[in-house]
Amino acid sequence: MSFLSGKRALIVGLATDRSIAWGIAQAMHAHGAELAFSYIERMADRVVPLAKQLGSQITFPMDVASDEEITRGFATLKSHWSEFDILVHAVAFATRDALSGRFIDATSREGFRIAHDISSYSLTALSREALPFMKGRAGAIVTLSYLGAVRSVPSYNVMGLAKASLEANVRFLAADLGREGVRVNGISAGPIKTLSAAGIPGLRKMLAHVAAAAPIARNVTIEDVGKAAAFLCSDLASGITGEILYVDGGYSTVGMSFPGEADAGA
Ligand code: NAD
């Protein structure tokens, strides 16, 4: 079913074929969307060939930490598309030292600023630029969050605070843009081994713990997240906005579990 046919999506945050953005791009392409991609300069060699695989010739650099790059990026996009429907925000960053050790020691003023700027403020900045392109269309914006927004998670540290800000950002943008026909949602994904996630100490333990405790008894994949994002950005989700949809195999819904003992009786 091509429930995204006729839709155009800008994907921000593709780095490699392990990126969540790649899972989303593949699902959107499979359901008929036309795609454009932005990337940070050093990822150009990886992103441009991936974009081509999905029939996209529209790729351009855009570092979301820079207002000038955002303005230039959207100007480049405008030379290809005067309108588009979907913005995928799959971007996050914290310095390595912010993601290791005790939260109280690892969280500096500058580390806090960088994490919030790149991982949360950028959603507001990109949505502002995207809005004129979505005029008169059923626009949809989706971003990627994590459980660390609402619960403490070892080593996730300041990224948890930035994700809490991102989730509030989703609600404020949804309230602001709804009258213009634009919906804004987030997906809270379970842990997946990507380039960024590899920077979180203990990722392997985290993956094993979640796979053992989650109702679906495995970790989620970029394909799982991609399908949910395609749905949320399609007209099938026309009544959904301001939501955070958990795509975590049900992990966040479990109060207690005894992995491996499910069938063992009392
Ligand atoms: P990834 O490394 O593949 O993607 C992160 C992207 O952010 C990269 O493309 C990187 O280039 C981009 N980025 C970083 N700084 C940037 C900047 N200044 N300007 C523009 N782009 C910048 O990793 P991923 O895991 O696919 O991450 C995508 C999103 O998913 C992130 O928001 C991440 O927090 C979120 N997420 C990841 C997991 C996980 O376990 N992998 C779980 C939940 C949520």
Side-chain angles (χ1 to χ4, degrees):
M1 184 178 36
S2 297
F3 56 74
L4 289 175
S5 67
K7 303 263 190 200
R8 288 173 168 167
L10 169 62
I11 314 268
V12 181
L14 178 61
T16 73
D17 61 3
R18 294 182 152 220
S19 292
I20 291 176
W22 182 236
I24 295 174
Q26 286 180 300
M28 289 190 170
H29 174 72
H31 289 290
E34 231 183 297
L35 306 176
F37 296 86
S38 73
Y39 54 81
I40 50 170
E41 199 67 63
R42 67 173 186 281
M43 288 296 167
D45 290 351
R46 296 214 195 192
V47 172
V48 174
L50 286 172
K52 286 204 178 115
Q53 277 186 40
L54 300 183
S56 174
Q57 305 294 331
I58 311 177
T59 52
F60 55 92
M62 184 166 68
D63 183 332
V64 301
S66 153
D67 288 338
E68 293 71 38
E69 285 220 13
I70 292 176
T71 305
R72 208 176 313 132
F74 276 86
T76 304
L77 184 62
K78 186 133 202 167
S79 67
H80 298 277
W81 290 348
S82 55
E83 299 178 315
F84 70 89
D85 309 273
I86 295 168
L87 170 66
V88 176
H89 174 273
V91 173
F93 180 77
T95 53
R96 193 165 277 269
D97 55 343
L99 297 177
S100 54
R102 289 184 63 183
F103 169 72
I104 202 160
D105 297 327
T107 308
S108 66
R109 189 184 297 274
E110 184 61 0
F112 183 101
R113 187 195 65 72
I114 292 171
H116 284 70
D117 180 15
I118 297 177
S119 314
S120 178
Y121 173 70
S122 62
L123 177 67
T124 316
L126 297 183
S127 298
R128 186 162 44 238
E129 294 292 331
L131 194 57
F133 287 85
M134 294 180 173
K135 205 175 166 59
R137 300 175 80 104
I141 297 172
V142 70
T143 186
L144 273 307
S145 190
Y146 176 61
L147 186 64
V150 292
R151 308 229 196 289
S152 64
V153 174
S155 299
Y156 203 63
N157 290 358
V158 74
M159 273 309 300
L161 283 64
K163 291 300 191 191
S165 164
L166 180 72
E167 292 188 3
N169 213 328
V170 164
R171 291 183 285 272
F172 275 80
L173 284 169
D176 198 12
L177 309 187
R179 279 188 182 73
E180 284 158 275
V182 177
R183 296 179 299 102
V184 187
N185 291 292
I187 289 176
S188 185
I192 301 174
K193 192 168 184 226
T194 62
L195 206 57
S196 305
I200 302 167
L203 177 72
R204 260 199 329 178
K205 271 198 230 169
M206 202 186 274
L207 288 166
H209 171 78
V210 170
I216 64 169
R218 63 167 176 84
N219 288 117
V220 294
T221 63
I222 61 170
E223 288 75 24
D224 292 321
V225 180
K227 286 185 283 187
F231 157 70
L232 274 180
C233 293
S234 77
D235 297 339
L236 295 175
S238 54
I240 303 175
T241 194
E243 282 294 336
I244 305 298
L245 176 66
Y246 280 74
V247 181
D248 68 345
Y251 176 78
S252 60
T253 67
V254 173
M256 195 179 295
S257 69
F258 300 106
E261 293 181 16
D263 303 321

